[in-house]
Amino acid sequence: MNVADSEEMAMHLMSCGHTETGDMKSADIILVNTCSVREHPENSALSFLGRIKPLKRKNPELKVIFAGCVAQRLKDVIKKRFPAVDLVIGAKDIGKFPEIIGRELANWRIGELASSKALPIRQSSSSPIHDVSSFVTITRGCENFCSYCIVPYVRGREFSLPASGIVNEIKILAGKGVKEVTLLGQNVNSYIDGSGLAVRSSEKRQSSKALDFADLLSEVNKIEGIERIRFISSHPKDFSDKLIDAVAGLQKVCEHVHLPIQSGSDRILAAMNRKYGVAKYMSIVEKLRNKVKDISITSDILVGFPGETEADFKNTLDAVKQAGFDSLFAFKYSPRPGTLAASLKDNVPLETKESRLQRVLHAANTVAMNTNAKLAGTLQEVLIDAREDDGHSGRTRTNKKVFLKNARLSLGSTVTARIVGTKISTLIGETAEGLCGI
């Protein structure tokens, strides 16, 4: 989500006549987009502001924009502690970026007055797209209020963007050469077209006649030029059988689902306010594996939540092995001010959190290595999306990265690769004259 927001803001600045530079010393504008989901990235963002101060002293005309979740949470603090910052745009206002920056550019007298039309930023941008893959935001905000998570407080209440605008945006991207889109939201499977604020309960969502997320996937599946559709993230409490059927039946929807479990303990899941248990989660995994051949399932886990015992954690290790995740993002709990969990005693020692983090990563890596080893010798469809020092790389439909030593490949091409080597998170492939081109 943060990458998508950064791309959209940068693209709008480019539509106002600016160009990107890799050298901060030569910049007229530095835009810092921030994440507040954990303590570490928040501290990193504030530290980065400190490093900008000397640039501002040398060039008083330099403009610094501080945006995103940290900007939302610490708006008043930023203005007081960092006078070098010229503009603070919280995460809730990123959707209004064209209007806000239009006024500021006029005041700063750098760039043209931007359009203030109420369109997704990409749609109002005339900038070229050079990427093979692109993110497309379909919902903003969150209604889940997991007890450890600050997102609903800094991004606001959930609302769904209009399906017509999403489809139009993807058509524009396809026309500019994008082959793969990833639909984004804090909880994509609660999407309801035209709901404004998202429909609160699953019962209301099921009774609504508006397009839901499975319907939206079907509409995107029809867009000419788009070859692959991905989405992130999904919440287990809203993962319906209809959505499973869409993943199984829509040709362009990739065989990969990111489905955060967070913990393998029902007691901890209840304390996290996740609104499902381990049995419910595993039933979704089982349905996906039964209906979608060779599906890849990835997940998130948070260790060291207040009150987590060794027994709770062992349940998490068991869940990792049972689910057979292809990869895992795991994190240590850190209290976020303003959340419900922040009022709980953070009673799991830091060294215990670190130990559990390493143990769960080891378990997940063992599963992933064994899963990838089974792919040796198989043929995989790979969409080439990056140049490497000694070749190219791309991703399979199951979202596994494949390195290919072949100088003749081109970005955006789809090739058949034979897998000749496997690692924990990547595959090594080779192409041959008889295999290229799908």
Side-chain angles (χ1 to χ4, degrees):
M1 183 68 76
N2 286 312
V3 171
D5 287 345
S6 296
E7 288 178 350
E8 291 183 358
M9 288 187 286
M11 286 178 65
H12 193 77
L13 285 171
M14 287 188 282
S15 76
C16 297
H18 296 275
T19 56
E20 257 188 297
T21 174
D23 179 16
M24 285 200 299
K25 294 179 181 178
S26 66
D28 299 299
I29 298 173
I30 296 176
L31 191 153
V32 186
N33 194 25
T34 61
C35 173
S36 189
V37 70
R38 298 188 307 280
E39 185 177 17
H40 178 71
E42 183 170 296
N43 290 339
S44 295
L46 298 178
S47 175
F48 184 78
L49 280 185
R51 296 199 296 274
I52 291 177
K53 281 183 182 180
L55 297 178
K56 187 82 171 186
R57 283 197 295 267
K58 290 182 179 179
N59 178 16
E61 299 302 312
L62 171 67
K63 303 300 180 183
V64 179
I65 304 170
F66 194 74
C69 293
V70 180
Q72 186 71 47
R73 196 178 84 79
L74 300 175
K75 188 173 292 187
D76 294 336
V77 174
I78 298 300
K79 290 178 179 178
K80 290 178 181 178
R81 284 183 53 190
F82 300 95
V85 174
D86 298 278
L87 179 63
V88 178
I89 302 178
K92 295 179 182 178
D93 291 327
I94 285 179
K96 302 175 185 175
F97 185 80
E99 180 180 354
I100 295 170
I101 200 63
R103 291 195 301 264
E104 295 302 326
L105 289 177
N107 293 334
W108 297 339
R109 299 188 179 184
I110 48 175
E112 302 169 4
L113 182 65
S115 168
S116 60
K117 293 179 181 178
L119 290 172
I121 299 173
R122 283 188 194 274
Q123 290 185 33
S124 63
S125 172
S126 59
S127 300
I129 304 287
H130 301 291
D131 294 332
V132 174
S133 302
S134 187
F135 295 122
V136 176
T137 299
I138 68 168
T139 71
R140 290 191 179 275
C142 186
E143 293 295 310
N144 292 317
F145 288 92
C146 300
S147 63
Y148 55 83
C149 186
I150 199 169
V151 168
Y153 304 97
V154 293
R155 285 192 173 269
R157 305 302 293 269
E158 181 179 313
F159 66 94
S160 299
L161 299 174
S164 59
I166 294 168
V167 169
N168 184 48
E169 179 177 351
I170 295 173
K171 286 180 178 178
I172 292 172
L173 292 172
K176 294 185 175 184
V178 169
K179 301 292 183 68
E180 175 184 273
V181 291
T182 301
L183 307 183
L184 291 178
Q186 304 303 141
N187 180 12
V188 289
N189 44 348
S190 65
Y191 178 87
I192 292 290
D193 180 33
S195 66
L197 284 174
V199 180
R200 298 287 185 261
S201 68
S202 59
E203 291 80 8
K204 288 183 179 179
R205 283 196 293 275
Q206 291 166 5
S207 64
S208 172
K209 294 181 180 180
L211 269 68
D212 62 13
F213 183 55
D215 297 325
L216 179 64
L217 287 175
S218 181
E219 292 302 306
V220 177
N221 193 70
K222 300 173 186 176
I223 298 175
E224 187 175 348
I226 295 300
E227 297 178 4
R228 293 181 175 185
I229 304 166
R230 303 187 187 278
F231 55 88
I232 192 171
S233 281
S234 301
H235 197 296
K237 73 179 178 63
D238 296 316
F239 213 103
S240 66
D241 289 344
K242 181 180 178 181
L243 178 54
I244 293 173
D245 289 339
V247 174
L250 295 174
Q251 186 270 329
K252 295 180 181 179
V253 175
C254 289
E255 295 81 8
H256 168 239
V257 169
H258 187 73
L259 192 65
I261 186 172
Q262 301 300 0
S263 174
S265 163
D266 284 344
R267 190 179 71 84
I268 295 299
L269 287 173
M272 289 177 167
N273 193 35
R274 291 291 288 173
K275 303 182 180 71
Y276 59 85
V278 175
K280 165 72 173 175
Y281 183 93
M282 292 302 171
S283 72
I284 298 170
V285 169
E286 182 179 8
K287 289 177 183 178
L288 284 167
R289 295 204 186 281
N290 287 339
K291 289 200 172 187
V292 186
K293 183 182 178 182
D294 298 326
I295 190 169
S296 165
I297 300 175
T298 57
S299 194
D300 296 341
I301 280 181
L302 185 65
V303 301
F305 186 83
E308 183 187 68
T309 65
E310 183 62 19
D312 293 321
F313 177 70
K314 286 182 178 178
N315 287 338
T316 296
L317 291 178
D318 290 341
V320 169
K321 297 170 185 175
Q322 181 182 348
F325 297 126
D326 287 71
S327 67
L328 187 71
F329 296 97
F331 310 97
K332 295 175 291 189
Y333 170 78
S334 60
R336 307 310 297 128
T339 62
L340 181 61
S343 64
L344 304 175
K345 184 178 180 181
D346 187 12
N347 59 355
V348 180
L350 180 60
E351 58 270 23
T352 302
K353 291 179 184 178
E354 182 60 40
S355 171
R356 289 176 181 173
L357 178 64
Q358 296 307 316
R359 288 163 64 192
V360 78
L361 287 173
H362 176 75
N365 289 343
T366 300
V367 173
M369 186 174 291
N370 292 337
T371 299
N372 285 347
K374 297 175 184 177
L375 298 176
T378 64
L379 301 180
Q380 298 289 328
E381 176 189 311
V382 180
L383 176 62
I384 305 302
D385 58 15
R387 293 186 179 90
E388 306 290 343
D389 291 339
D390 54 353
H392 289 78
S393 65
R395 292 190 178 270
T396 66
R397 288 179 60 91
T398 54
N399 205 37
K400 294 180 184 291
K401 188 170 184 178
V402 182
F403 287 98
L404 297 160
K405 291 186 178 182
N406 192 323
R408 293 179 297 172
L409 300 179
S410 58
L411 294 182
S413 63
T414 302
V415 301
T416 302
R418 178 180 284 113
I419 304 305
V420 297
T422 63
K423 298 181 179 180
I424 292 174
S425 58
T426 58
L427 306 175
I428 310 299
E430 63 179 17
T431 59
E433 290 297 324
L435 298 178
C436 288
I438 290 181

